[in-house]
Amino acid sequence: MKRNQRLSTCGEGRKSRNRRRALPGGRIHAGQRGTMRLGAVIASLVIAVSSPAMTRADNLDFDTDFCGSVAVVDCGSGTAQRDSTGFASLSRTANRRATAGVRESLARRNTFHNSFAAPRAFEAGNVFAYLDQLPGEVHASVQGVILRDAGHVRDIISQHAAGLSEAPDGRQRSGASGNRKPMTLAPGWRVWTRGYGSLVRVDGDGNGASLETRGGGVLTGTEAYTPGGVLAGILAGYELAGVAIDEHRSDTDIESFLVGTYISRTFGPVQVMAGSVLAKNEIGTTREVAFNGFSDTLTADYRSSTFQLFGEAGYAVESGFVQLTPYAGLALAYLDTDAFGEQGGDAALDVAASSQALGVSTLGLRARRYIAGPWLGEAGLTLDGTVAWRHSFGDVTPGVTSSFAGGDPFDIQGAPLDENTLLLHAGAIFDLSGRLAVSATYHGEFGAATSGNAFQAGLNLKF
């Protein structure tokens, strides 16, 4: 074989085998008209030529994957260099193409560009993994997490308004069934609180990577009835969540402070409620980029705000055993994220300000049963359950626009939200007296890519 001779394979998704050739050393091009896995070629060449005594490359298998890629292996230094083939031609997902394409706009003196452009031969098989580290996909996925988690607060308020409100004359407004014992409403305000925790797993779609979210928070509200029979309340809360994308070595902490209002009213068996919540989010991310001797630990701290409006209407049907309430709800959530820049090295990103808008519709059925007996004394137990279908629309695939220093901007997408989700709810409220009640609740959400479980504990106190 002549110095710098080209080895080629033909055809998408096929393997080709070269003939036995003497390799005197120097530089060897490995390329093809179709596609090839760069790492397989380079690894095979390294095995064949790593020693001066090895001058024959036998049975090199070219496993196909890269499109139009051409690599140059320096047999003396054990490094690989690329020819004029574009970075983007190596990629098959939208995020990889966006990231690889923008690499062409970086200055050759950029150490990040040079490290990526000339991977060590034994590392070149990880080019896909390298591309996945670069775009900061976590910043897009976090926006989806914030929008989805906004539903936790919304559901707590809706369940509270639907299950625990009472009429001004002391008769139970909802939750009555059979021999439901009326609770006396003391004059003045009522205070309630909910503590909650959740674990959610979201599978990637082939472009956005899988992620896991763990979080929890506390909400506290106070409420009273107006002379017109409207239950009006205000609330404040705090949330802390962590997002991990292990595949990209990225971690995020989200700290949120919330305030909100809600109202509820009944018209016979018809119950309506509406509410709004504003959240200020403090976000901190850490991610690692490492390949070919290049290593950066990148951090960013930035802010976003979430505002949501929601409403719900239900119709209670009483029986001697259980109360059934079919209901429908609609929510609109808007997320606004400030621009920010990462710190840590050449791979740091500047991320533009962005906004996401998400709509959510819900159709469901609630069931409630009150239990009383001598074994409970003056106390009472209310059991309730809900099954619902939630449909999300709008910006279900979160995205951001980013750029490297000296590079062109590019768009990156995160893990998408499920458009259709099954919601399950089961809870118990233990009325210890006419003034004090405690509750425990399970909430689950299950979609094509999402599996989430949450637990709540609550306290209601009347003054």
Side-chain angles (χ1 to χ4, degrees):
M1 176 185 288
K2 297 181 180 179
R3 187 178 182 86
N4 295 339
Q5 183 169 349
R6 179 181 297 270
L7 302 178
S8 298
T9 64
C10 303
E12 175 90 9
R14 294 182 296 177
K15 292 185 177 180
S16 175
R17 180 167 298 178
N18 70 302
R19 297 188 298 272
R20 291 173 176 252
R21 302 175 185 267
L23 302 178
R27 291 160 57 86
I28 298 174
H29 285 267
Q32 64 171 37
R33 296 192 303 270
T35 62
M36 61 188 294
R37 187 177 298 279
L38 182 61
V41 174
I42 293 178
S44 299
L45 290 173
V46 169
I47 293 174
V49 301
S50 58
S51 169
M54 299 179 65
T55 58
R56 302 177 68 85
D58 297 337
N59 301 327
L60 292 182
D61 288 333
F62 294 164
D63 191 10
T64 66
D65 202 358
F66 278 126
C67 181
S69 62
V70 178
V72 180
V73 179
D74 191 321
C75 304
S77 64
T79 62
Q81 298 179 350
R82 298 176 59 257
D83 66 3
S84 60
T85 303
F87 280 113
S89 66
L90 306 179
S91 311
R92 288 186 175 179
T93 70
N95 284 352
R96 288 172 180 167
R97 284 193 297 271
T99 309
V102 78
R103 298 300 304 135
E104 309 299 336
S105 67
L106 293 181
R108 297 293 175 181
R109 64 179 178 273
N110 184 296
T111 58
F112 174 34
H113 176 282
N114 295 336
S115 295
F116 184 81
R120 290 192 182 101
F122 66 85
E123 287 187 338
N126 297 320
V127 170
F128 277 158
Y130 298 164
L131 286 173
D132 286 338
Q133 296 178 46
L134 305 182
E137 180 190 309
V138 61
H139 301 306
S141 291
V142 162
Q143 298 197 21
V145 169
I146 293 174
L147 285 172
R148 189 192 64 245
D149 286 355
H152 294 166
V153 176
R154 185 169 64 242
D155 291 342
I156 289 174
I157 298 172
S158 298
Q159 292 287 344
H160 171 79
L164 295 179
S165 302
E166 300 168 80
D169 61 1
R171 292 172 298 174
Q172 184 73 13
R173 179 175 61 81
S174 68
S177 180
N179 61 345
R180 174 68 165 109
K181 176 184 176 181
M183 294 175 59
T184 302
L185 178 66
W189 293 79
R190 176 169 50 192
V191 175
W192 59 271
T193 186
R194 295 288 185 278
Y196 54 95
S198 64
L199 173 62
V200 180
R201 170 76 181 181
V202 179
D203 294 331
D205 63 347
N207 185 44
S210 300
L211 60 87
E212 185 174 273
T213 302
R214 299 173 183 265
V218 60
L219 292 178
T220 299
T222 183
E223 61 194 14
Y225 280 95
T226 69
V230 176
L231 177 70
I234 58 175
L235 63 96
Y238 171 81
E239 286 186 333
L240 182 63
V243 182
I245 305 180
D246 293 337
E247 183 179 340
H248 298 168
R249 295 185 285 186
S250 302
D251 293 287
T252 302
D253 292 324
I254 306 170
E255 190 176 25
S256 302
F257 302 88
L258 310 96
V259 293
T261 62
Y262 60 94
I263 57 174
S264 182
R265 182 71 161 90
T266 57
F267 303 90
V270 178
Q271 174 192 340
V272 295
M273 68 83 57
S276 65
V277 175
L278 173 65
K280 294 294 186 179
N281 312 303
E282 303 281 347
I283 304 164
T285 64
T286 301
R287 64 189 187 94
E288 296 181 6
V289 176
F291 56 83
N292 190 24
F294 179 91
S295 178
D296 271 352
T297 297
L298 306 173
T299 62
D301 294 291
Y302 58 100
R303 298 178 178 178
S304 70
S305 59
T306 312
F307 180 72
Q308 57 177 325
L309 293 170
F310 51 94
E312 185 180 287
Y315 188 92
V317 179
E318 299 284 353
S319 71
F321 178 76
V322 67
Q323 180 195 71
L324 297 176
T325 306
Y327 71 95
L330 180 65
L332 299 174
Y334 180 79
L335 173 65
D336 183 71
T337 305
D338 294 342
F340 63 93
E342 293 183 321
Q343 304 295 321
D346 283 344
L349 294 169
D350 292 321
V351 182
S354 61
S355 61
Q356 315 281 335
L358 183 71
V360 177
S361 61
T362 306
L363 292 175
L365 177 67
R366 291 191 180 103
R368 183 169 291 110
R369 166 71 177 174
Y370 177 78
I371 300 175
W375 58 280
L376 289 173
E378 293 298 319
L381 178 65
T382 301
L383 302 178
D384 65 272
T386 301
V387 59
W389 166 62
R390 181 177 67 197
H391 177 67
S392 300
F393 55 94
D395 294 330
V396 294
T397 302
V400 296
T401 299
S402 304
S403 62
F404 297 103
D408 296 331
F410 57 98
D411 295 328
I412 293 298
Q413 296 177 334
L417 303 175
D418 280 326
E419 294 188 11
N420 298 290
T421 307
L422 172 68
L423 304 179
L424 299 176
H425 167 93
I429 306 167
F430 191 49
D431 300 321
L432 299 175
S433 67
R435 293 180 180 270
L436 178 65
V438 295
S439 62
T441 302
Y442 164 79
H443 180 84
E445 57 178 287
F446 305 96
T450 303
S451 176
N453 298 281
F455 296 91
Q456 305 170 15
L459 177 69
N460 299 283
L461 182 62
K462 304 179 184 68
F463 295 99

PDB file of all heavy atoms in Angstrom, residues 1 40 57 73 89 102 109 112 185 198 237 275 278 300 370 373-374 379 431:
ATOM      1  N   MET A   1       0.851  -1.196   0.000  1.00  0.00           N
ATOM      2  CA  MET A   1       0.000   0.000   0.000  1.00  0.00           C
ATOM      3  C   MET A   1       0.880   1.237   0.000  1.00  0.00           C
ATOM      4  O   MET A   1       1.852   1.330   0.726  1.00  0.00           O
ATOM      5  CB  MET A   1      -0.892   0.011   1.257  1.00  0.00           C
ATOM      6  CG  MET A   1      -1.732   1.276   1.381  1.00  0.00           C
ATOM      7  SD  MET A   1      -2.648   1.292   2.936  1.00  0.00           S
ATOM      8  CE  MET A   1      -3.861   0.052   2.560  1.00  0.00           C
ATOM      9  N   ALA A  40     -14.394   1.918  14.693  1.00  0.00           N
ATOM     10  CA  ALA A  40     -14.015   0.559  14.313  1.00  0.00           C
ATOM     11  C   ALA A  40     -12.836   0.570  13.356  1.00  0.00           C
ATOM     12  O   ALA A  40     -11.916  -0.249  13.442  1.00  0.00           O
ATOM     13  CB  ALA A  40     -15.210  -0.155  13.675  1.00  0.00           C
ATOM     14  N   ALA A  57      -2.348  -5.609   7.645  1.00  0.00           N
ATOM     15  CA  ALA A  57      -3.665  -5.403   8.255  1.00  0.00           C
ATOM     16  C   ALA A  57      -4.593  -6.467   7.710  1.00  0.00           C
ATOM     17  O   ALA A  57      -5.015  -6.408   6.563  1.00  0.00           O
ATOM     18  CB  ALA A  57      -4.201  -4.017   7.915  1.00  0.00           C
ATOM     19  N   VAL A  73      -5.293   8.440  10.044  1.00  0.00           N
ATOM     20  CA  VAL A  73      -4.608   7.886  11.196  1.00  0.00           C
ATOM     21  C   VAL A  73      -3.112   8.076  11.025  1.00  0.00           C
ATOM     22  O   VAL A  73      -2.541   7.672  10.020  1.00  0.00           O
ATOM     23  CB  VAL A  73      -4.932   6.388  11.370  1.00  0.00           C
ATOM     24  CG1 VAL A  73      -4.189   5.828  12.565  1.00  0.00           C
ATOM     25  CG2 VAL A  73      -6.424   6.189  11.499  1.00  0.00           C
ATOM     26  N   SER A  89     -21.782  15.730   9.175  1.00  0.00           N
ATOM     27  CA  SER A  89     -22.041  14.519   8.405  1.00  0.00           C
ATOM     28  C   SER A  89     -21.830  13.267   9.235  1.00  0.00           C
ATOM     29  O   SER A  89     -22.191  12.175   8.816  1.00  0.00           O
ATOM     30  CB  SER A  89     -21.138  14.480   7.170  1.00  0.00           C
ATOM     31  OG  SER A  89     -19.775  14.356   7.553  1.00  0.00           O
ATOM     32  N   VAL A 102     -21.927  23.314  14.103  1.00  0.00           N
ATOM     33  CA  VAL A 102     -21.409  24.585  14.565  1.00  0.00           C
ATOM     34  C   VAL A 102     -19.922  24.512  14.879  1.00  0.00           C
ATOM     35  O   VAL A 102     -19.234  25.530  14.930  1.00  0.00           O
ATOM     36  CB  VAL A 102     -22.199  25.063  15.808  1.00  0.00           C
ATOM     37  CG1 VAL A 102     -21.741  24.328  17.055  1.00  0.00           C
ATOM     38  CG2 VAL A 102     -22.052  26.574  15.995  1.00  0.00           C
ATOM     39  N   ARG A 109      -7.609  27.802  16.304  1.00  0.00           N
ATOM     40  CA  ARG A 109      -6.759  27.938  17.485  1.00  0.00           C
ATOM     41  C   ARG A 109      -7.502  27.571  18.769  1.00  0.00           C
ATOM     42  O   ARG A 109      -6.900  27.530  19.845  1.00  0.00           O
ATOM     43  CB  ARG A 109      -6.235  29.366  17.588  1.00  0.00           C
ATOM     44  CG  ARG A 109      -7.306  30.412  17.810  1.00  0.00           C
ATOM     45  CD  ARG A 109      -6.695  31.804  17.918  1.00  0.00           C
ATOM     46  NE  ARG A 109      -7.706  32.831  18.093  1.00  0.00           N
ATOM     47  CZ  ARG A 109      -8.339  33.443  17.125  1.00  0.00           C
ATOM     48  NH1 ARG A 109      -8.055  33.121  15.860  1.00  0.00           N
ATOM     49  NH2 ARG A 109      -9.248  34.379  17.354  1.00  0.00           N
ATOM     50  N   PHE A 112     -10.550  23.490  22.215  1.00  0.00           N
ATOM     51  CA  PHE A 112     -11.698  22.591  22.193  1.00  0.00           C
ATOM     52  C   PHE A 112     -11.908  22.054  20.784  1.00  0.00           C
ATOM     53  O   PHE A 112     -12.094  20.853  20.567  1.00  0.00           O
ATOM     54  CB  PHE A 112     -12.912  23.368  22.688  1.00  0.00           C
ATOM     55  CG  PHE A 112     -14.209  22.624  22.598  1.00  0.00           C
ATOM     56  CD1 PHE A 112     -14.276  21.263  22.787  1.00  0.00           C
ATOM     57  CD2 PHE A 112     -15.382  23.305  22.345  1.00  0.00           C
ATOM     58  CE1 PHE A 112     -15.470  20.585  22.711  1.00  0.00           C
ATOM     59  CE2 PHE A 112     -16.579  22.650  22.260  1.00  0.00           C
ATOM     60  CZ  PHE A 112     -16.614  21.293  22.443  1.00  0.00           C
ATOM     61  N   LEU A 185     -68.352  24.718  60.994  1.00  0.00           N
ATOM     62  CA  LEU A 185     -67.370  25.675  60.513  1.00  0.00           C
ATOM     63  C   LEU A 185     -67.222  26.791  61.524  1.00  0.00           C
ATOM     64  O   LEU A 185     -68.146  27.545  61.779  1.00  0.00           O
ATOM     65  CB  LEU A 185     -67.794  26.245  59.158  1.00  0.00           C
ATOM     66  CG  LEU A 185     -66.867  27.305  58.567  1.00  0.00           C
ATOM     67  CD1 LEU A 185     -65.523  26.671  58.217  1.00  0.00           C
ATOM     68  CD2 LEU A 185     -67.497  27.944  57.350  1.00  0.00           C
ATOM     69  N   SER A 198     -41.552  13.592  45.290  1.00  0.00           N
ATOM     70  CA  SER A 198     -41.836  12.861  44.055  1.00  0.00           C
ATOM     71  C   SER A 198     -40.560  12.306  43.456  1.00  0.00           C
ATOM     72  O   SER A 198     -39.455  12.810  43.692  1.00  0.00           O
ATOM     73  CB  SER A 198     -42.527  13.772  43.025  1.00  0.00           C
ATOM     74  OG  SER A 198     -41.660  14.828  42.628  1.00  0.00           O
ATOM     75  N   GLY A 237     -45.265  28.769  48.884  1.00  0.00           N
ATOM     76  CA  GLY A 237     -44.604  27.466  48.960  1.00  0.00           C
ATOM     77  C   GLY A 237     -43.150  27.522  48.567  1.00  0.00           C
ATOM     78  O   GLY A 237     -42.640  28.534  48.066  1.00  0.00           O
ATOM     79  N   GLY A 275     -57.584  29.109  39.681  1.00  0.00           N
ATOM     80  CA  GLY A 275     -56.423  29.500  40.470  1.00  0.00           C
ATOM     81  C   GLY A 275     -55.290  29.984  39.589  1.00  0.00           C
ATOM     82  O   GLY A 275     -55.319  29.850  38.361  1.00  0.00           O
ATOM     83  N   LEU A 278     -47.559  31.748  40.675  1.00  0.00           N
ATOM     84  CA  LEU A 278     -46.328  32.330  40.142  1.00  0.00           C
ATOM     85  C   LEU A 278     -45.154  31.728  40.899  1.00  0.00           C
ATOM     86  O   LEU A 278     -45.153  31.696  42.135  1.00  0.00           O
ATOM     87  CB  LEU A 278     -46.327  33.847  40.312  1.00  0.00           C
ATOM     88  CG  LEU A 278     -45.022  34.573  39.953  1.00  0.00           C
ATOM     89  CD1 LEU A 278     -44.723  34.448  38.462  1.00  0.00           C
ATOM     90  CD2 LEU A 278     -45.077  36.043  40.375  1.00  0.00           C
ATOM     91  N   ALA A 300     -23.271  26.690  35.688  1.00  0.00           N
ATOM     92  CA  ALA A 300     -24.100  27.843  35.332  1.00  0.00           C
ATOM     93  C   ALA A 300     -25.125  28.059  36.432  1.00  0.00           C
ATOM     94  O   ALA A 300     -25.640  27.103  37.028  1.00  0.00           O
ATOM     95  CB  ALA A 300     -24.799  27.625  34.001  1.00  0.00           C
ATOM     96  N   TYR A 370     -67.325   8.720  52.777  1.00  0.00           N
ATOM     97  CA  TYR A 370     -67.122   9.056  54.179  1.00  0.00           C
ATOM     98  C   TYR A 370     -67.472   7.854  55.049  1.00  0.00           C
ATOM     99  O   TYR A 370     -68.484   7.179  54.830  1.00  0.00           O
ATOM    100  CB  TYR A 370     -67.981  10.261  54.565  1.00  0.00           C
ATOM    101  CG  TYR A 370     -67.860  10.618  56.023  1.00  0.00           C
ATOM    102  CD1 TYR A 370     -66.754  11.312  56.490  1.00  0.00           C
ATOM    103  CD2 TYR A 370     -68.852  10.257  56.924  1.00  0.00           C
ATOM    104  CE1 TYR A 370     -66.627  11.636  57.828  1.00  0.00           C
ATOM    105  CE2 TYR A 370     -68.740  10.577  58.268  1.00  0.00           C
ATOM    106  CZ  TYR A 370     -67.631  11.274  58.712  1.00  0.00           C
ATOM    107  OH  TYR A 370     -67.524  11.582  60.042  1.00  0.00           O
ATOM    108  N   GLY A 373     -68.179   5.561  62.511  1.00  0.00           N
ATOM    109  CA  GLY A 373     -68.567   4.418  63.316  1.00  0.00           C
ATOM    110  C   GLY A 373     -68.118   4.593  64.756  1.00  0.00           C
ATOM    111  O   GLY A 373     -67.309   5.485  65.060  1.00  0.00           O
ATOM    112  N   PRO A 374     -68.620   3.740  65.625  1.00  0.00           N
ATOM    113  CA  PRO A 374     -68.241   3.859  67.041  1.00  0.00           C
ATOM    114  C   PRO A 374     -66.739   3.766  67.255  1.00  0.00           C
ATOM    115  O   PRO A 374     -66.197   4.392  68.170  1.00  0.00           O
ATOM    116  CB  PRO A 374     -68.981   2.675  67.685  1.00  0.00           C
ATOM    117  CG  PRO A 374     -70.094   2.347  66.746  1.00  0.00           C
ATOM    118  CD  PRO A 374     -69.582   2.653  65.385  1.00  0.00           C
ATOM    119  N   ALA A 379     -64.421  11.286  65.543  1.00  0.00           N
ATOM    120  CA  ALA A 379     -63.656  11.524  64.319  1.00  0.00           C
ATOM    121  C   ALA A 379     -64.376  10.909  63.122  1.00  0.00           C
ATOM    122  O   ALA A 379     -65.346  10.171  63.246  1.00  0.00           O
ATOM    123  CB  ALA A 379     -62.259  10.936  64.459  1.00  0.00           C
ATOM    124  N   ASP A 431     -60.513  13.175  60.003  1.00  0.00           N
ATOM    125  CA  ASP A 431     -60.997  14.330  60.748  1.00  0.00           C
ATOM    126  C   ASP A 431     -60.900  14.030  62.234  1.00  0.00           C
ATOM    127  O   ASP A 431     -61.709  13.270  62.790  1.00  0.00           O
ATOM    128  CB  ASP A 431     -62.453  14.641  60.371  1.00  0.00           C
ATOM    129  CG  ASP A 431     -62.613  14.949  58.898  1.00  0.00           C
ATOM    130  OD1 ASP A 431     -61.717  15.626  58.357  1.00  0.00           O
ATOM    131  OD2 ASP A 431     -63.608  14.510  58.298  1.00  0.00           O
TER     132      ASP A 431
END
